[in-house]
Amino acid sequence: MASEEELFASVDALLEAEPQLPLPAERARLREAAGITQARLATALKTTTQSVKNWENGRSEPKSPRLEAYQRLLNGWAAKHPAHSTPAVPAPTPAPAPAVVPQSEVPETFAVPAAPDTETVAPAEAAAPAPAPAPIGAERPSRPTTSRRPATRKAAAPPTDPRFPHGPLAVLDGDGSAYGVDGIVLDCPATTVVELVEWTLRESGLGAAKLNRYCKDSDPLIVLTTAAAVKLGLPERLEDRRGLRLEEGHPVLKQISKAKWQLTQRGFGPWARIYRKAQGAQRQCVQLAILPWDALDARAWPGVTGMEPADVARVLGVYAQRVITPRGSTAVSGLELMTALRPPTRPVQDKETGNWVSGHNPGSLGTEAMDPAPPEGQPEHPAVFHSGWKGGFLREEAYQWVRSVDLLSDEECTLPFAVGLDLNTAFLAAAARLTVGLSKPVHFVNPAFNPKVPGSWLVDLSHVEVDPRLPSPFMPDGTRPTGPAWYQTHTVAYAQELGFNVQPLEAYLRKETGAYLDPWHDRLKTAYVDTLADLGVTKDLTDTQFLAAMERHKQVDPAMAAVLAAIKATVKGGIGKLFENPQGKGYKDGDPWPAMQRPTWRPDIRAAVISKARVNMHRKLLNMSRMTGLFPLAVLSDCVVYPSPGDSPLDFLPYAASGKPQPGGFRLGPTPGLAKLEGVQSMLWAVDLMEQGYNPARHIKGGDAVLDEGE
């Protein structure tokens, strides 16, 4: 039998083998208790603020020698600030009154993001109570019978929330089997929609924890197969193909009303929300997604509707765990994710009464819709239409450019191939560390340009010359500007970067600024990279291995390939929803429409993302021409086509003598902003399309494939 000394020696050896760090949440607590910001800690450890964020949310761990230094620092803080101690809270500092500034210059306060609000924030218990689901009847029934069926492949799941032991959603089949995440199957006895709603809230154990301490938990989602929909009394196909709503007077609607449940204004369609008024902090809401009614668009969820229920549950479950529980289309989910990660309100303490009340959450878009600056809206917007604005509009859109065939050299025409490169989630890459305006626009006349201030500038860039074999960086169609026009800050800043003088005539700028999209970017980037890794495309691959892995990744696991497609559609759709136009035949110019009445209707933020993405593309095009002498044939959003001596990007991308990719140009890889192969065709094919006025970048995949513009 081992002695005490031997046992202690063995334990000490394990402790010395690798430094032991506290849990991520404790790391953040210790840093906050010491009064140190993430940026200051990053400077001390000679790393990035994002790395510190990742260590504190459990996404990654530091490596030696930074690991040992971080452990030593945490141990020191732990001695000073044990878990039971409470750090002193600094007294709130009143915000200074806004200064009145002359219209002729941009105030210095516009040059940096506004300081964070210093109002006292409620403790976690007061801000976000998390009681167990309350019963809707008298007594809570016993736990439902469950069974577990083996899954062919399981994605790594976060720790289970005890309030939602069966995950965020389930797919209900006609035999009463409700397929959940991680292979679980619940027995659902419901035979009506009302019974299904009550079973979901009482017995299912479905739901998902909030993504931010100030937002709400995600409501449980039940996905209905065709057999389940018919069993519950729903039609297999909606008669109203335009409105996509169950007709008034349908028996299911009568059942819902009789049981005192309600539907949201969008009615009972492919995505239906059924709810009762919340009891205290406890929400009573269930969302239904009806597969035979095309709840899952095949463009965003390829092949999912035709999968078996267990596979549908796996696809949607992974998406829910990595992105958000679906709340409609991927575009709607993308927009909802922004709000969930940056909630508009938070609990603040009223200084007079001491009570906790709802207050603005700094860094969010708030709770009220905001009229755009006149050039940032569109002619039909009420604020623009009724003002009689004739000053022009912002045209920050993605590239659609084709080089003139007259500018093709003989050497280019003799090359055998046209190779298309596609930038991974280019709009997502552009959203990283993007400072956007958070307050109302303020008008300035003859302002000095400041590249740190988000907004719209009226400036003449027609004097900026670029090689005609490249698109102009200032116009979506790549043509040279002919006079003054409105541009977003990134576009004007790029003209300055190219060495040209800019003298704005007018500007609409915002005083309060912030990186509103940062948490949205971080979550979607992680989801994208992790899902690609599940498909065998990882960061450690060589460029040759990467191209081979991308060629077969969709066949590795169709379910995970569908998740990847949905993540890309979430990025594209979420950005698109920031500037949603009026819809419907009955709309009249000057009338308000539903989308513009929400705080997330922000065309200026969409313009900032697209402007930065287009500038990023042009910068790469310019660097490629300088490094290799190559010029593109065409560009469409995030896809570019080059003439090539071979049928691979490896035949023309710039590499150093060491074999490493040259910085500044296009680089292959799985992360947002890096490139992948879009398709290969013959140079003859590309020139023929160009002569007919078509864009080769749109058709480079071959067949009937059309580029999904702006991932």
Side-chain angles (χ1 to χ4, degrees):
M1 185 174 180
S3 66
E4 183 177 286
E5 281 188 4
E6 291 173 327
L7 291 173
F8 274 95
S10 298
V11 170
D12 288 342
L14 287 175
L15 289 172
E16 293 171 4
E18 182 178 348
Q20 300 296 307
L21 296 175
L23 294 174
E26 177 65 3
R27 302 171 200 174
R29 186 196 72 79
L30 290 171
R31 176 184 55 74
E32 291 170 355
I36 303 297
T37 65
Q38 291 177 327
R40 187 174 172 190
L41 176 56
T43 301
L45 294 177
K46 298 198 169 31
T47 186
T48 63
T49 304
Q50 186 58 52
S51 293
V52 174
K53 288 181 181 178
N54 291 342
W55 299 344
E56 291 186 357
N57 61 29
R59 288 182 186 157
S60 66
E61 297 290 343
K63 303 290 191 297
S64 294
R66 205 168 275 116
L67 173 61
E68 290 77 6
Y70 189 38
Q71 182 199 33
R72 182 177 181 182
L73 180 62
L74 292 174
N75 288 342
W77 283 342
K80 291 182 180 180
H81 309 288
H84 62 271
S85 68
T86 304
V89 178
T93 306
V100 178
V101 296
Q103 292 284 300
S104 60
E105 60 182 18
V106 180
E108 287 299 318
T109 51
F110 276 38
V112 294
D117 195 329
T118 54
E119 280 184 321
T120 307
V121 180
E125 310 84 57
I136 305 178
E139 191 174 332
R140 183 184 179 93
S142 58
R143 179 67 55 81
T145 304
T146 66
S147 63
R148 290 190 175 271
R149 304 179 186 179
T152 56
R153 180 184 176 91
K154 294 181 184 178
T160 301
D161 188 304
R163 296 170 300 147
F164 311 116
H166 299 141
L169 56 87
V171 179
L172 183 63
D173 206 356
D175 62 0
S177 297
Y179 297 82
V181 300
D182 214 20
I184 194 170
V185 183
L186 307 176
D187 295 324
C188 174
T191 57
T192 67
V193 169
V194 169
E195 289 176 357
L196 174 62
V197 170
E198 297 188 348
W199 171 84
T200 302
L201 293 173
R202 286 178 178 175
E203 305 179 38
S204 71
L206 295 172
K210 63 187 77 176
L211 297 179
N212 181 288
R213 64 182 298 196
Y214 301 131
C215 75
K216 298 180 177 68
D217 294 328
S218 290
D219 298 318
L221 169 65
I222 301 293
V223 181
L224 302 182
T225 63
T226 301
V230 171
K231 178 181 177 181
L232 296 173
L234 295 169
E236 187 171 332
R237 177 180 170 83
L238 281 177
E239 295 298 327
D240 179 7
R241 302 308 300 168
R242 177 177 292 275
L244 291 177
R245 297 292 180 268
L246 200 59
E247 66 273 15
E248 290 187 21
H250 191 279
V252 168
L253 298 183
K254 293 179 179 178
Q255 293 169 9
I256 292 171
S257 177
K258 185 177 180 181
K260 308 299 182 185
W261 289 97
Q262 300 180 58
L263 291 164
T264 57
Q265 288 185 350
R266 62 183 178 183
F268 202 117
W271 292 88
R273 298 183 75 84
I274 303 175
Y275 71 98
R276 280 180 183 157
K277 188 176 180 181
Q279 296 179 349
Q282 181 60 45
R283 287 167 61 83
Q284 297 186 89
C285 183
V286 173
Q287 182 163 279
L288 302 181
I290 303 159
L291 294 181
W293 296 2
D294 300 324
L296 299 181
D297 189 320
R299 293 168 296 181
W301 302 94
V304 176
T305 299
M307 292 180 179
E308 293 297 319
D311 294 321
V312 176
R314 179 169 169 247
V315 171
L316 297 180
V318 172
Y319 180 89
Q321 291 164 347
R322 294 182 179 179
V323 181
I324 193 172
T325 303
R327 301 183 183 184
S329 67
T330 48
V332 169
S333 296
L335 199 66
E336 290 283 344
L337 180 64
M338 293 181 197
T339 304
L341 294 170
R342 292 277 199 193
T345 61
R346 65 169 185 174
V348 296
Q349 195 168 31
D350 187 293
K351 295 175 183 177
E352 295 182 0
T353 66
N355 296 329
W356 292 100
V357 296
S358 179
H360 175 65
N361 185 23
S364 75
L365 299 182
T367 58
E368 299 296 326
M370 187 183 299
D371 283 342
E376 293 170 352
Q378 66 252 68
E380 58 267 39
H381 189 283
V384 179
F385 181 83
H386 296 297
S387 71
W389 172 260
K390 302 295 182 183
F393 295 92
L394 204 61
R395 284 189 60 207
E396 297 289 9
E397 300 294 343
Y399 268 133
Q400 295 195 48
W401 171 83
V402 180
R403 199 200 320 174
S404 169
V405 290
D406 296 335
L407 296 176
L408 294 175
S409 67
D410 292 340
E411 292 79 5
E412 287 176 316
C413 290
T414 57
L415 291 172
F417 295 102
V419 176
L421 290 176
D422 180 64
L423 296 183
N424 301 321
T425 56
F427 290 167
L428 185 62
R433 298 179 296 281
L434 177 68
T435 300
V436 300
L438 301 176
S439 55
K440 292 183 178 180
V442 179
H443 184 231
F444 293 88
V445 177
N446 296 323
F449 177 66
N450 189 330
K452 295 182 179 179
V453 181
S456 300
W457 309 77
L458 180 63
V459 59
D460 189 349
L461 299 178
S462 60
H463 63 288
V464 179
E465 293 187 19
V466 296
D467 192 302
R469 293 170 293 180
L470 292 175
S472 165
F474 312 124
M475 302 289 285
D477 61 3
T479 59
R480 184 171 174 172
T482 57
W486 289 97
Y487 302 98
Q488 203 275 335
T489 297
H490 284 88
T491 304
V492 184
Y494 188 56
Q496 239 183 18
E497 181 184 322
L498 294 175
F500 294 90
N501 184 39
V502 294
Q503 295 180 325
L505 305 174
E506 294 181 60
Y508 284 90
L509 310 175
R510 287 169 167 81
K511 181 175 181 179
E512 294 178 26
T513 64
Y516 172 71
L517 292 173
D518 256 11
W520 185 81
H521 163 271
D522 292 350
R523 186 165 177 85
L524 285 169
K525 176 184 176 181
T526 301
Y528 180 81
V529 172
D530 288 352
T531 306
L532 264 181
D534 287 339
L535 293 167
V537 186
T538 56
K539 297 179 184 179
D540 58 347
L541 299 177
T542 65
D543 284 0
T544 302
Q545 292 170 333
F546 168 75
L547 290 172
M550 285 300 297
E551 189 173 353
R552 61 176 181 268
H553 78 282
K554 292 183 179 179
Q555 287 72 48
V556 170
D557 186 340
M560 295 307 293
V563 175
L564 185 70
I567 292 170
K568 293 192 290 185
T570 301
V571 174
K572 175 191 173 186
I575 296 299
K577 278 281 185 181
L578 292 169
F579 194 15
E580 191 173 0
N581 291 314
Q583 300 175 10
K585 287 185 176 180
Y587 177 77
K588 296 180 180 179
D589 289 353
D591 290 343
W593 64 93
M596 60 155 280
Q597 296 173 319
R598 61 173 190 248
T600 49
W601 190 84
R602 290 294 302 272
D604 57 300
I605 296 180
R606 175 186 178 272
V609 172
I610 295 177
S611 168
K612 186 178 175 184
R614 198 182 64 245
V615 164
N616 287 347
M617 172 64 84
H618 192 276
R619 190 181 288 113
K620 287 181 170 63
L621 297 173
L622 184 60
N623 288 338
M624 282 285 290
S625 69
R626 291 169 174 171
M627 288 187 290
T628 68
L630 290 176
F631 292 87
L633 301 176
V635 184
L636 182 68
S637 188
D638 46 16
C639 178
V640 56
V641 177
Y642 274 101
S644 172
D647 61 356
S648 168
L650 303 177
D651 294 314
F652 66 89
L653 289 180
Y655 290 87
S658 63
K660 292 185 177 180
Q662 292 279 22
F666 293 100
R667 297 174 55 191
L668 299 175
T671 54
L674 298 187
K676 59 181 180 290
L677 177 63
E678 178 73 6
V680 181
Q681 299 290 340
S682 72
M683 184 65 180
L684 206 58
W685 169 90
V687 173
D688 184 51
L689 280 186
M690 295 165 69
E691 288 177 337
Q692 296 180 62
Y694 297 117
N695 191 323
R698 186 180 296 277
H699 307 283
I700 192 71
K701 280 185 178 180
D704 296 325
V706 175
L707 183 72
D708 185 13
E709 298 175 27
E711 287 182 1

